[in-house]
């Protein structure tokens, strides 16, 4: 993000996507869903690939993991965001009741909050009075709880974004394992997953304005560790079962 000067003003936040809070929430869910789809499905198919090279077994395990994961992610996001929205609505309801029951007390409380932020007593009282006259509930919700009554989170956006992105992310390791010849299956899957995780790490860093290299490294190393562990366990279980048989 580039920052300007007094002669050429440029605010870093003006360079952000002008998306609404709901759109940003859906983007967050989409990135997390894609990342989880890649890692979890790669872990499943790699674990099975460590035990057997049978394509039918790999297909069954991969599809089952994809469907279960997508449904779990979508349901989880819906429940989580719905709980958040219910909490926000309850807060707004209680605050509206207080404003109706004791408007003068609430206005004095608003003035004290602005005074605590650095305004002098008279100016804080004027600001509180004007904001109360304009939209008392929005003013209190913003300064007390950081809530915008006109932009509550939408659980359906997050749920669908998470479910669809999980499915798309899961298809990558599944196709790699199924379509690549057995001799190159592991290497190609690991490489493809590493590239995909690097991409989701880059996108998540960009959305959160955090250092990109750190996010990419964390994402790739975590995914590689998950695949390595499940492959090793799958190989051990496969050898154990083969020995018993």
């Amino acid at each position: 993000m580039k920052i300007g000067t007094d002669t050429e003003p440029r605010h870093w936040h003006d360079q952000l996507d002008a998306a609404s809070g709901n759109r940003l929430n859906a983007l967050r869910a989409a990135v997390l869903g894609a990342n989880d789809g890649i890692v979890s499905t790669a872990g499943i198919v790699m674990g099975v690939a460590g035990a057997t090279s049978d394509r039918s077994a790999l297909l069954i395990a991969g599809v089952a993991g994809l469907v279960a994961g997508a449904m779990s992610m979508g349901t989880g996001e819906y429940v989580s965001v719905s709980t958040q929205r219910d909490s926000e609505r309850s807060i707004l309801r209680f605050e509206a009741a207080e404003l109706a029951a004791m408007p003068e007390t609430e206005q004095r409380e608003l003035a004290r909050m602005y005074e605590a932020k650095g305004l002098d007593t008279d100016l804080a009282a004027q600001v509180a009075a004007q904001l109360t006259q304009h939209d008392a509930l929005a003013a209190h919700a913003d300064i007390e709880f950081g809530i915008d009554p006109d932009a509550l989170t939408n659980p359906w956006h997050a749920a669908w974004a998470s479910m669809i992105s999980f499915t798309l992310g899961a298809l990558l390791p599944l196709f790699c394992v199924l379509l690549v010849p057995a001799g190159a299956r592991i290497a190609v899957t690991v490489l493809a997953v590493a590239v995909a995780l690097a991409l989701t790490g880059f996108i998540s860093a960009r959305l959160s304005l955090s250092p990109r290299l750190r996010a990419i490294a964390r994402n790739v190393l975590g995914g590689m560790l998950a695949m390595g562990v499940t492959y090793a366990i799958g190989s051990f279980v496969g050898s154990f079962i083969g020995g018993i048989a």
Side-chain angles (χ1 to χ4, degrees):
M1 292 292 176
K2 295 182 180 179
I3 298 176
T5 63
D6 283 333
T7 54
E8 295 183 13
R10 181 193 295 225
H11 299 288
W12 66 269
H13 48 80
D14 290 340
Q15 301 166 58
L16 297 176
D17 193 302
S20 66
N22 274 320
R23 185 179 170 193
L24 289 176
N25 189 53
L27 284 172
R28 173 199 60 80
V31 172
L32 290 176
N35 196 69
D36 284 348
I38 295 166
V39 173
S40 63
T41 307
I44 291 171
V45 295
M46 288 292 284
V48 177
T52 178
S53 60
D54 182 61
R55 290 182 187 275
S56 297
L58 291 170
L59 177 61
I60 292 169
V63 171
L66 185 156
V67 174
M71 295 302 296
S72 175
M73 287 293 295
T75 303
E77 281 290 339
Y78 179 81
V79 170
S80 175
V81 177
S82 292
T83 300
Q84 177 185 341
R85 188 179 62 174
D86 290 344
S87 176
E88 291 171 344
R89 285 176 170 174
S90 295
I91 288 171
L92 292 174
R93 186 173 65 253
F94 284 125
E95 198 62 30
E98 285 191 348
L99 286 166
M102 43 185 186
E104 294 181 4
T105 300
E106 286 293 292
Q107 183 172 319
R108 288 194 296 270
E109 179 189 37
L110 190 62
R112 286 195 300 271
M113 290 180 179
Y114 281 108
E115 191 175 346
K117 285 185 173 293
L119 299 183
D120 62 51
T121 303
D122 291 340
L123 181 56
Q126 292 177 32
V127 170
Q130 289 187 26
L131 288 175
T132 298
Q133 204 170 35
H134 175 67
D135 191 335
L137 180 59
H140 281 268
D142 176 49
I143 194 170
E144 290 188 55
F145 309 105
I147 296 174
D148 182 353
D150 296 324
L152 298 183
T153 50
N154 188 317
W156 284 109
H157 290 171
W160 281 112
S162 182
M163 184 183 300
I164 293 171
S165 62
F166 183 98
T167 301
L168 294 176
L171 288 174
L172 173 68
L174 181 58
F175 283 155
C176 286
V177 168
L178 291 176
L179 300 180
V180 175
R185 180 178 295 160
I186 303 302
V188 171
T189 302
V190 169
L191 179 60
V193 167
V195 172
L197 290 175
L199 179 60
T200 57
F202 173 81
I203 295 172
S204 66
R206 189 169 173 80
L207 287 176
S208 61
L209 304 179
S210 58
R212 296 172 186 175
L213 185 58
R214 185 186 306 167
I216 291 171
R218 184 170 56 224
N219 228 27
V220 173
L221 290 175
M224 294 299 102
L225 177 62
M227 285 196 299
V229 170
T230 53
Y231 181 78
I233 294 174
S235 298
F236 173 76
V237 172
S239 299
F240 180 75
I241 293 175
I244 293 176

